[in-house]
Amino acid sequence: MNIIKKLSAILLAVSMILGSSFVKNADDTYAASTYKKELKLGQTCYYDIDGDGDKDSIKYYVSNEKLMLKVNNTKKVLLDSYSPDCFDIYVRIYDFYKKDKSVEIVLEWYEYSNWGVKIYKFKNNTCKLSKNYPDALLRNYNSNTGVVTMESYDCGNFSSFAKAIGAFGCYEKAKIKGYNVSNDKNVKTTDMVKQNKYKAAKSLTAYTSTNSKKKAFTAKKGSILRVYELCKVGNSRYIKVKNTSGKYGYIKVGNSRIFTKDSIIYAR
């Protein structure tokens, strides 16, 4: 387990100890520990999930070593393989966007150094939304905008960047409104990554933007860069970096490593 995940695992353990403590900022951003209801394994819960005034039947349970979710008469597989000795599981009802009448059923699962988030929305007997965020932790959400923030790692939805920069953490955002979801293509890296000193394995050209060929600067082999953002532009990928002179630029990355493997993992 790399040091980024080690420290995140410590933070995760602290947040689990704190449990469902209420945290709210002035802009209506809530911590992930603020939810409407937590379900218990094997027990049926009744909650109006689609705003029609009728309480829906919700239950998650184990069947044939699979973790299952049943909402009214509809079943979904939460995890293909589940062992209570290996997993910590939380299934909770959230209201990520207070301006619509529907709520979300969220699975958060942890297995040693692996984890993930799955978000579901139902209307009566129909699953209208099913989104999987592997290698991610639910951090917070803004109930005014429907924006959900997850801390994602190098085996998650931005895993393609790991081939170029190695291990990383980033803040992945999803905007949920009603039964629709949109995901950001550009994500900011975590503070730990921003403090990392990445050493260029070869000469690298940084451009002024992801859609420009105007050069911002050239990073010579062995020079130090900080990585601030990961960007998906169509089928291309870029990283936003800052050099030791304080200049920012965007470097196009592919499937080969652009930083040396002995780059400092965490530099204070």
Side-chain angles (χ1 to χ4, degrees):
M1 180 166 52
N2 63 61
I3 193 168
I4 293 176
K5 278 198 168 183
K6 282 183 180 178
L7 292 180
S8 293
I10 294 172
L11 294 174
L12 172 62
V14 172
S15 66
M16 290 171 65
I17 292 171
L18 292 176
S20 59
S21 57
F22 183 87
V23 182
K24 178 179 180 296
N25 298 326
D27 62 353
D28 282 333
T29 297
Y30 295 83
S33 57
T34 305
Y35 47 85
K36 293 295 184 180
K37 192 173 184 64
E38 183 170 334
L39 281 66
K40 296 185 181 299
L41 181 65
Q43 296 185 14
T44 300
C45 163
Y46 295 93
Y47 200 96
D48 182 7
I49 59 174
D50 50 16
D52 62 0
D54 296 328
K55 288 189 175 182
D56 300 274
S57 171
I58 312 164
K59 179 181 178 180
Y60 81 101
Y61 59 97
V62 179
S63 177
N64 296 323
E65 297 185 344
K66 294 182 179 181
L67 191 68
M68 304 291 298
L69 173 67
K70 184 178 181 181
V71 177
N72 297 321
N73 296 319
T74 301
K75 295 180 181 180
K76 298 288 290 186
V77 177
L78 296 179
L79 294 173
D80 289 320
S81 178
Y82 171 74
S83 170
D85 297 329
C86 301
F87 284 83
D88 286 321
I89 296 291
Y90 298 91
V91 178
R92 294 164 172 162
I93 297 174
Y94 283 88
D95 189 6
F96 288 144
Y97 186 53
K98 67 182 181 182
K99 296 179 183 179
D100 63 21
K101 295 181 180 181
S102 54
V103 296
E104 294 77 22
I105 300 173
V106 180
L107 165 70
E108 299 170 75
W109 63 271
Y110 313 97
E111 180 193 21
Y112 302 117
S113 61
N114 299 313
W115 39 62
V117 177
K118 293 185 177 182
I119 301 174
Y120 299 90
K121 297 195 76 168
F122 290 80
K123 188 173 183 180
N124 296 320
N125 286 309
T126 303
C127 182
K128 304 284 286 186
L129 177 64
S130 175
K131 295 295 292 185
N132 182 27
Y133 297 91
D135 207 20
L137 302 169
L138 182 61
R139 286 309 188 197
N140 59 62
Y141 63 95
N142 188 309
S143 62
N144 276 330
T145 62
V147 173
V148 181
T149 301
M150 286 157 286
E151 191 169 333
S152 181
Y153 297 93
D154 41 282
C155 291
N157 290 330
F158 285 78
S159 60
S160 57
F161 286 87
K163 296 178 180 179
I165 68 175
F168 67 85
C170 65
Y171 293 113
E172 186 174 359
K173 294 181 183 292
K175 181 179 287 187
I176 299 175
K177 290 187 176 181
Y179 300 101
N180 299 310
V181 60
S182 57
N183 298 283
D184 282 352
K185 298 295 184 181
N186 300 345
V187 296
K188 297 184 183 301
T189 56
T190 60
D191 289 342
M192 191 180 300
V193 173
K194 290 175 184 176
Q195 294 180 58
N196 190 36
K197 293 180 179 180
Y198 291 94
K199 187 186 297 183
K202 58 183 179 180
S203 181
L204 302 169
T205 300
Y207 300 96
T208 56
S209 70
T210 58
N211 57 6
S212 173
K213 292 300 180 182
K214 183 179 179 181
K215 185 170 70 174
F217 61 86
T218 298
K220 295 182 180 180
K221 181 179 179 179
S223 59
I224 299 299
L225 296 171
R226 310 267 188 173
V227 178
Y228 279 75
E229 198 169 330
L230 312 178
C231 309
K232 294 180 180 179
V233 184
N235 294 322
S236 300
R237 304 187 303 277
Y238 294 82
I239 57 173
K240 182 180 180 181
V241 300
K242 183 174 75 170
N243 64 12
T244 53
S245 299
K247 291 184 178 180
Y248 290 90
Y250 294 83
I251 297 174
K252 188 174 183 179
V253 299
N255 295 324
S256 60
R257 186 180 287 267
I258 63 171
F259 299 126
T260 62
K261 292 185 178 181
D262 64 341
S263 293
I264 300 172
I265 294 299
Y266 180 51
R268 294 185 182 275

